[in-house]
């Protein structure tokens, strides 16, 4: 089983104005973050607008990710579905093209019991030999994975990692303490909890702001794991200010896409029902990037 560890950006998916896939832009974005020094990439997650893809588009996105990384870093493919058979079908797509691992969250919309969530994951794990990163994102799914449930799932050797994105420090720290000897725990929301998580025993983070932050995100990770807490604290403070400025401007991830475009990195258009930012919203994003020292030119 592959070990997942370090900084894994959750990539946006660039779309053209007509809402078709911009695969050239996607390839460029992969190259850019690898040059920044990331340790892997996550595609087709929340940040990637995974809910918009047809089966054919998802398969093409996975294939393009594997081709473009070309073994330089692991590719984790978002494969969640509302029912296990849909998730398994997505996993098959990732298997076929050579993705390194899959990321799966609980079903959304259908608020099933904890035992039903356990069985959902068991059915998926029984249908594949791929390494699995489990994704706790209750704001999106309506289901918050408990420590007890993850403790049961971590007994399966195919479960290699957890991305914990509840924004609940007590839950995240409990997950790390309970699971860190068996699976690798990644923090979400790095700007809020990254330093605390890394010092507690998390192995890294999966976040959507790393492609905007660029090498700063890698500098933060390196400072945190090396014990340079003064540098790490300062970097996290700056990251938090930046994230506060562009999260909440428009509907996620439209603001991140605009920020990437302004940095000369492929962001692209969002897909329906998410609308592009208006002129005033774009001005806010620009001012945030200028104040962070990421760009200097006038809008």
């Amino acid at each position: 089983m592959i070990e997942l560890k370090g900084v894994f950006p959750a990539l946006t998916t660039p779309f053209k104005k007509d809402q078709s896939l911009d695969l050239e832009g996607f390839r460029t974005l992969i190259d850019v973050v690898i040059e920044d020094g990331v340790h892997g990439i996550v595609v087709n997650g929340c940040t990637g607008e995974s809910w918009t893809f047809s089966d054919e588009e998802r398969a093409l996105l996975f294939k393009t990710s594997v081709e473009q990384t070309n073994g330089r870093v692991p590719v984790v493919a978002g494969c969640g579905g509302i029912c296990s058979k849909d998730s398994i079908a997505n996993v098959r797509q990732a298997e076929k093209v050579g993705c390194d691992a899959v990321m799966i969250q609980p079903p959304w919309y259908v608020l099933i019991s904890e035992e039903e969530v356990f069985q959902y994951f068991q059915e998926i794990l029984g249908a594949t030999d791929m390494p699995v990163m489990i994704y706790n994102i209750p704001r999106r799914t309506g289901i918050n994975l408990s420590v007890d449930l993850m403790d049961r799932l971590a007994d399966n050797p195919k479960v290699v990692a957890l991305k914990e994105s509840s924004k609940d420090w007590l839950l995240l720290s409990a997950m790390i303490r309970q699971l860190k000897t068996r699976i690798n725990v990644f923090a979400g929301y790095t700007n809020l909890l990254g330093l605390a998580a890394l010092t507690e025993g998390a192995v890294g983070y999966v976040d959507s702001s790393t492609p905007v932050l660029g090498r700063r995100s890698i500098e933060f990770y390196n400072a945190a794991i090396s014990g340079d807490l003064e540098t790490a604290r300062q970097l996290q403070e700056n990251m938090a200010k930046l994230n506060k400025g562009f999260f909440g401007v428009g509907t996620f991830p439209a603001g991140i896409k605009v920020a990437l475009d302004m940095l000369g990195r492929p962001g692209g258009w969002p897909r329906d029902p998410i609308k592009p930012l208006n002129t005033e919203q774009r001005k806010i994003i620009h001012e945030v990037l200028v104040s962070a020292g990421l760009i200097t030119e006038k809008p």
Side-chain angles (χ1 to χ4, degrees):
M1 283 290 168
I2 190 172
E3 183 179 19
L4 305 178
K5 183 177 181 180
V7 180
F8 280 62
L11 294 184
T12 53
T13 308
F15 299 115
K16 299 176 183 178
K17 191 173 183 178
D18 65 2
Q19 302 204 358
S20 62
L21 273 171
D22 179 4
L23 288 179
E24 182 179 350
F26 185 59
R27 288 180 181 275
T28 299
L29 184 59
I30 289 172
D31 285 341
V32 165
V33 297
I34 291 177
E35 289 168 8
D36 287 337
V38 303
H39 305 95
I41 62 170
V42 174
V43 300
N44 197 50
C46 297
T47 309
E49 298 171 83
S50 56
W51 53 84
T52 71
F53 288 101
S54 67
D55 289 343
E56 293 76 15
E57 288 175 324
R58 187 187 310 104
L60 183 56
L61 190 76
F62 290 169
K63 181 174 182 289
T64 302
S65 301
V66 172
E67 289 175 348
Q68 197 64 27
T69 55
N70 194 28
R72 292 177 289 173
V73 297
V75 175
V76 180
C79 290
I82 291 181
C83 53
S84 57
K85 70 177 179 62
D86 289 343
S87 187
I88 290 168
N90 296 342
V91 170
R92 292 281 182 263
Q93 291 181 326
E95 287 175 334
K96 183 176 181 180
V97 299
C99 293
D100 298 284
V102 294
M103 182 178 74
I104 301 171
Q105 68 271 45
W108 54 95
Y109 192 80
V110 186
L111 301 181
I112 57 178
S113 70
E114 183 163 295
E115 184 59 30
E116 287 169 323
V117 173
F118 178 74
Q119 292 301 326
Y120 166 83
F121 280 112
Q122 288 294 92
E123 289 171 20
I124 297 166
L125 291 165
T128 183
D129 290 326
M130 289 196 74
V132 174
M133 173 187 285
I134 291 177
Y135 183 17
N136 189 35
I137 180 74
R139 290 176 63 248
R140 298 271 178 180
T141 64
I143 295 173
N144 197 14
L145 301 179
S146 69
V147 177
D148 287 343
L149 177 57
M150 277 306 308
D151 188 54
R152 294 172 68 191
L153 291 170
D155 286 335
N156 191 310
K158 298 172 191 175
V159 177
V160 299
L162 166 69
K163 179 189 177 186
E164 212 300 301
S165 295
S166 67
K167 287 189 177 180
D168 181 343
W169 168 244
L170 295 179
L171 178 59
L172 172 56
S173 59
M175 290 285 198
I176 295 169
R177 290 193 301 273
Q178 184 70 19
L179 305 172
K180 65 182 179 182
T181 60
R182 287 177 290 161
I183 67 173
N184 286 351
V185 179
F186 286 77
Y189 301 106
T190 313
N191 59 305
L192 299 174
L193 301 172
L195 180 55
L198 290 169
T199 56
E200 186 78 15
V203 302
Y205 48 86
V206 179
D207 74 335
S208 55
S209 59
T210 284
V212 175
L213 291 161
R215 288 190 173 92
R216 287 190 189 184
S217 182
I218 313 304
E219 290 169 6
F220 164 73
Y221 172 78
N222 289 336
I225 63 171
S226 67
D228 184 359
L229 299 185
E230 182 177 351
T231 298
R233 287 191 189 103
Q234 184 60 55
L235 284 167
Q236 181 165 270
E237 182 178 345
N238 293 338
M239 288 159 56
K241 289 178 181 177
L242 177 65
N243 279 258
K244 185 178 179 181
F246 68 73
F247 277 108
V249 180
T251 298
F252 179 85
I256 293 175
K257 289 189 159 189
V258 167
L260 288 169
D261 282 337
M262 289 181 176
L263 290 164
R265 299 179 166 208
W269 297 78
R271 253 189 183 175
D272 184 65
I274 298 174
K275 302 305 177 188
L277 300 193
N278 60 35
T279 300
E280 188 59 34
Q281 290 170 324
R282 292 178 66 87
K283 183 179 179 182
I284 293 171
I285 298 293
H286 185 271
E287 289 173 351
V288 169
L289 295 177
V290 170
S291 66
L294 291 173
I295 57 175
T296 57
E297 70 271 18
K298 295 181 179 180

